[in-house]
Amino acid sequence: MESQCKEEPVLHIVVVGFHHKKGCQVEFSYPPIIPSAGHDSNTLPEEWKYLPFLALPDGAHNYQEDTVYFHLPPLDGQLKCVYGVSCYRQMEAKALKVREADITRETVQKSVCVLSRLPLFGMIEAKLQLITHAYFEEKDFSQISILKELYDHMNRSLSCTALEGSQIYLGLSARDLILHFKHKVLIIFKLILLEKKILFYVTPVKRLVETLMTVLSLFPGIIEHGLADSSHYQPRRSISEDFSSPEIISADEESFSMSATDVTDIPKEFEGRYDVSDQPDQSKACNTALDTHYIQPHTGSLRDSSDCDWETLEPHVMDEMEENVDIDHSEMFDTDSGLPITVQPQSATGQGTLTSGIVSGLQEDQYGLPLAVFTKGYLCMPYMALQQHHLLSDISVRGFVAGATNILFRQQRHLSDAVVDVDEARIQIQDPELRKMLYLSTADLRFADYLVKHVTENKEDVFLDGTGWEGGDEWIRAQFGLYVHSLLSSALQEDHERLLADYGAAFTSAWKITHNYRLWISNKHPAMAEITPGHPFQGQYSVADVKIRLSHSMQNSERGKKIGNAVMSTSRSVVQTGRAVGQSVGGALTVAKSAMSSWFSMLAQPTAAVGASPQSTD
């Protein structure tokens, strides 16, 4: 972290334009991406060959402006992900003061993007939108002085200290996420914990990337320190390169370019290819009971490897790990003095200290967070260009959380475990076993209902606007932080099976074989002794739980939706029929009522006379 603070946070300011013959290309970069090539060079490193397509997204011509968040893989000699923010604009060519010869279309489409070492997406976007607007207002794209000033200004104003405050979540509204997805947010949350292949889909790009990053902001420390290894992938070589230099690619590497649907078993010659020794050197210094030579590649089917973890521990190693954890239980936990957390875990000392994870290599706090989800081939791509489509079936990619706006991604559902339709707030899951894992327990439904109620109650409060505490953005993130801490604390207990049952037995069984869980459990985290184990909403079953379960089933299951639609249509028909019958029958009833009234009045008159006659005679 200290070395990262000493370096300038902004790497480059880049202008990407659309050329009528060459397509998307880099037109300007400051400082030059390739120093020897100059500011106006179109040449890019092989690792960043998709940069133009990420900065200028698919279907950009349908919008006057848009914003893109994207990740780039590190260049040679670097180990950290590069975070990109791009602001897109288009304007009429006739409005330009200086029109270059290669501008032949009626509109000009360009993006100004910032490549940064820090994931300060919202802060960078706020500054970049102003500069992009001013850049277009010049109506002369050769005026690049404003871009150089932007580079200097951002390097002076941005620093790694911003990662520790709430500014990193600028533009990421957790309240809007809960209001839109409601309890389904917890399902998406669990999908990511299981390290599944998750695709978000919606247009425009700004809504897509903000939704995806808002979901990630619910995980403690993920955006701040958990994305450093989230973009480590190899770009696909072009066909011309493959045939012009076949000696560069070995037979093994050619096999890795095959589609995942064409592979059933991993050949024996690949054993040992993906070992923990491929990680940075700090993994060799691991002083836990987990030794690196126990980790071996998964030799089952590819489908199994994508559904669980990239590497498989031998059974006796898992037993040794559990024994070592159980031995330390008496030292780590004091059942009499355990204090429950109400907002976020508190500690007497070292609350803000971060250390480099021995195995994960991430900056971790005293609780071992963030979890190492986006490591070892599990990618995070807030926006994925069509040119990156091959990554969905790349055998070296064990999973992803990706966003797309092109319909082709959505149509190929077999390449993803779950497709999140942001516009309709719907999660499409084909695998029945995965749906079983994501079945929300009673305690989970209480937790989700608790969030929805508190957020909905403040929905109409114009003074809150997401800045208040209870029901606000920070409050929501604190609740998910409590959920994660309680889940991890429960996993450390001797009776962990009973405690984890409230999170869903199928879910916790699948979670225990994920990469992030096994890295976390392999290290000791003494600060977890402060966390009260058990689900935050555990308790006896009640009538209120029946109502919540019924509401959840009616809103999510296909049968429930059909019943709900049938009830609505039936009630609508009854109302309409009642009105029609009332109009026809109501008139007859009125006439009959008046006739009966007059008849009774006629009978009443002689009766009254008979009753009065004796009195009169008296």
Side-chain angles (χ1 to χ4, degrees), residues 454-481:
H454 278 73
V455 173
T456 306
E457 288 174 359
N458 298 316
K459 181 179 178 182
E460 305 299 332
D461 191 349
V462 296
F463 297 102
L464 181 62
D465 194 25
T467 59
W469 174 239
E470 190 166 336
D473 292 338
E474 293 303 312
W475 179 85
I476 294 171
R477 294 187 181 99
Q479 303 311 309
F480 277 95

Side-chain angles (χ1 to χ4, degrees), residues 489-511:
S489 179
S490 301
L492 291 174
Q493 305 300 313
E494 294 181 359
D495 57 342
H496 57 88
E497 292 185 0
R498 179 185 63 83
L499 295 172
L500 291 176
D502 287 324
Y503 295 90
F507 164 75
T508 53
S509 297
W511 175 58

Side-chain angles (χ1 to χ4, degrees), residues 189-200:
F189 189 84
K190 284 190 164 185
L191 272 169
I192 297 177
L193 279 177
L194 293 179
E195 299 176 353
K196 296 300 180 180
K197 299 178 179 179
I198 311 166
L199 181 70
F200 287 75

